[in-house]
Amino acid sequence: MTLSSGSLASQGEEEHPELSRPRPTEKYWEDYEDWKTHHPSAIESFDRFRAAAQGKLLTVFLDYDGTISDIVSNPDKAYMTDEMRDAVSRVASLYPTAIISGRSREKVYDFVRLPQLYYAGSHGLDIVGPKRDDDDDHVELHQPAPWAPAVMDRVYRWCKEAVSDIPGANVEHNKFCVSVHYRNCEQKWWGAVQDVVHRAVAADPKRLKKAEGRKVFEVKPRVAWDKGKALSYLLGELDLHARYGYAEGEIMSLYFGDDHTDEDAFHELREVPKECGAGVIVSTVPKPSNARFSVRDPGEVLVFLNKLADLAESGVTKSLCTSVASGKGRSTGGRGEGGGGSDSSGHSSGPEAETNRGRRGEAA
């Protein structure tokens, strides 16, 4: 079987540094406790966080696997708990909330099942707004590589056949990218799995690139786009400064994630002025990161999300409800779910209703 009309090369993809951000790689800690002096526990240092968040409207961005669900051996069974779903729903009723995942947007929605959220699937390559009604489709916002699904269909078929003789390897079609998992492989097979992905990318190097995550290699479209750019895009779509009249420094954005790909979002938030952006890395082991805070596991994410909701409900932070009550900007109808709402006529008045649909990026 061939992936394209050309032959598969044996070498890896040509490097294009302009397509990726610099990520920290050097060790700067002695042990886990020392690492936490650089990335304080968001739970243990909650008073510090509370002081930084006071009086601000928060925006909340969440990775899925390893962040609001546990990492499991079978990616099709990475279910979130009902308790976590309730916590995410509670947060979304108070703050604009989005899921940014490497999963396809449809898959992650099937796991989360909260229509009021924004979703960015395939590492931000497929972005949609909240549903207006339960029976409606999500409002399409942005797809920077609209050509990718057809290409990934071919990549998926080729990779699935190529790993068929590698025990434990699993190929997942995530619509705008293809993930080749080696979590269930013995270590002696990891190189063979990586070689499959190298060869897939080498077959179409002008349009494809290779990426890595936690026990997964991925084939992605070669576009200058990542989770950090998706986060900034969503902030632009929310347009909270204009909608509610907030000044610079009155909105604080949070991103929770556990993977290499989440570092792009952490890096994006490091660039936000006045410390109004904070990454929260989910990890039980020290590793280089751009995150400001840390939590150990999804259980601590759950605790922290409920603490965020407590801050809004006690008036420490602003919320979508108080933003409407203040009379700043246009009303979202008081529903406050994920930033969307309805006006008196029943039509959606959230940011998704003002979207310039169909905008597309170009391959880099």
Side-chain angles (χ1 to χ4, degrees):
M1 179 180 180
T2 57
L3 182 57
S4 67
S5 56
S7 61
L8 289 172
S10 60
Q11 70 274 18
E13 63 175 310
E14 180 185 354
E15 292 297 324
H16 288 256
E18 73 278 6
L19 295 180
S20 60
R21 305 168 188 259
R23 293 177 180 170
T25 58
E26 299 296 325
K27 181 179 178 181
Y28 48 82
W29 62 88
E30 294 296 327
D31 53 27
Y32 185 71
E33 290 304 314
D34 183 48
W35 180 78
K36 284 170 61 179
T37 66
H38 300 274
H39 313 283
S41 165
I43 306 297
E44 297 169 8
S45 306
F46 192 74
D47 287 345
R48 173 181 166 183
F49 173 82
R50 184 182 190 276
Q54 187 164 5
K56 297 181 175 70
L57 175 67
L58 305 184
T59 59
V60 181
F61 300 89
L62 300 158
D63 178 35
Y64 183 76
D65 293 275
T67 299
I68 57 174
S69 73
D70 290 326
I71 295 291
V72 296
S73 59
N74 183 348
D76 292 332
K77 295 185 177 180
Y79 305 117
M80 68 189 299
T81 65
D82 290 339
E83 190 178 16
M84 180 67 81
R85 184 174 293 104
D86 289 344
V88 174
S89 180
R90 185 182 174 209
V91 166
S93 71
L94 299 163
Y95 308 119
T97 303
I99 306 291
I100 303 180
S101 172
R103 301 268 193 165
S104 73
R105 184 252 303 171
E106 293 87 352
K107 282 183 184 178
V108 77
Y109 178 75
D110 285 345
F111 280 128
V112 178
R113 301 198 309 275
L114 293 174
Q116 65 268 37
L117 305 186
Y118 290 80
Y119 290 87
S122 304
H123 300 286
L125 290 163
D126 185 13
I127 304 176
V128 297
K131 292 186 176 185
R132 294 191 181 100
D133 296 298
D134 288 344
D135 294 335
D136 288 348
D137 291 332
H138 285 276
V139 178
E140 182 181 309
L141 298 180
H142 190 51
Q143 293 177 350
W147 48 267
V151 174
M152 294 303 163
D153 285 344
R154 296 193 293 273
V155 171
Y156 171 76
R157 290 193 297 270
W158 186 86
C159 287
K160 192 167 181 65
E161 182 175 311
V163 303
S164 60
D165 294 330
I166 302 177
N170 179 41
V171 183
E172 183 180 12
H173 196 326
N174 284 312
K175 192 173 181 178
F176 286 81
C177 58
V178 169
S179 303
V180 185
H181 299 271
Y182 59 95
R183 179 171 301 278
N184 298 322
C185 297
E186 294 182 26
Q187 188 169 355
K188 66 181 180 180
W189 293 106
W190 292 1
V193 176
Q194 181 170 248
D195 184 61
V196 167
V197 175
H198 274 313
R199 292 166 61 205
V201 169
D204 195 355
K206 291 184 177 180
R207 293 194 295 179
L208 301 177
K209 64 179 180 179
K210 173 181 167 288
E212 295 184 29
R214 290 180 65 177
K215 298 293 178 67
V216 62
F217 299 112
E218 296 186 289
V219 181
K220 295 181 178 180
R222 186 175 287 284
V223 292
W225 196 261
D226 55 39
K227 288 183 174 182
K229 290 184 182 295
L231 184 156
S232 287
Y233 176 86
L234 283 166
L235 286 175
E237 282 297 318
L238 288 166
D239 199 15
L240 297 170
H241 294 288
R243 289 183 63 79
Y244 301 118
Y246 287 116
E248 184 179 357
E250 292 185 324
I251 296 172
M252 184 176 187
S253 298
L254 307 176
Y255 183 93
F256 298 76
D258 72 310
D259 204 344
H260 300 297
T261 58
D262 299 309
E263 288 297 326
D264 297 322
F266 298 154
H267 183 272
E268 193 84 3
L269 291 179
R270 280 283 189 182
E271 304 299 311
V272 176
K274 299 185 179 181
E275 294 192 337
C276 285
V280 183
I281 185 171
V282 185
S283 182
T284 57
V285 297
K287 53 187 174 183
S289 180
N290 280 308
R292 280 178 59 188
F293 294 96
S294 66
V295 292
R296 292 183 61 84
D297 51 37
E300 289 198 349
V301 173
L302 173 65
V303 171
F304 193 69
L305 290 177
N306 280 316
K307 283 179 173 288
L308 292 183
D310 290 342
L311 291 182
E313 291 172 353
S314 63
V316 174
T317 62
K318 294 183 172 67
S319 71
L320 290 167
C321 298
T322 57
S323 297
V324 171
S326 71
K328 295 180 179 180
R330 292 161 289 177
S331 170
T332 60
R335 189 176 70 173
E337 294 178 334
S342 301
D343 59 24
S344 58
S345 65
H347 295 105
S348 172
S349 60
E352 72 276 11
E354 300 162 18
T355 301
N356 178 14
R357 300 192 192 186
R359 283 176 291 175
R360 298 290 185 265
E362 299 297 329

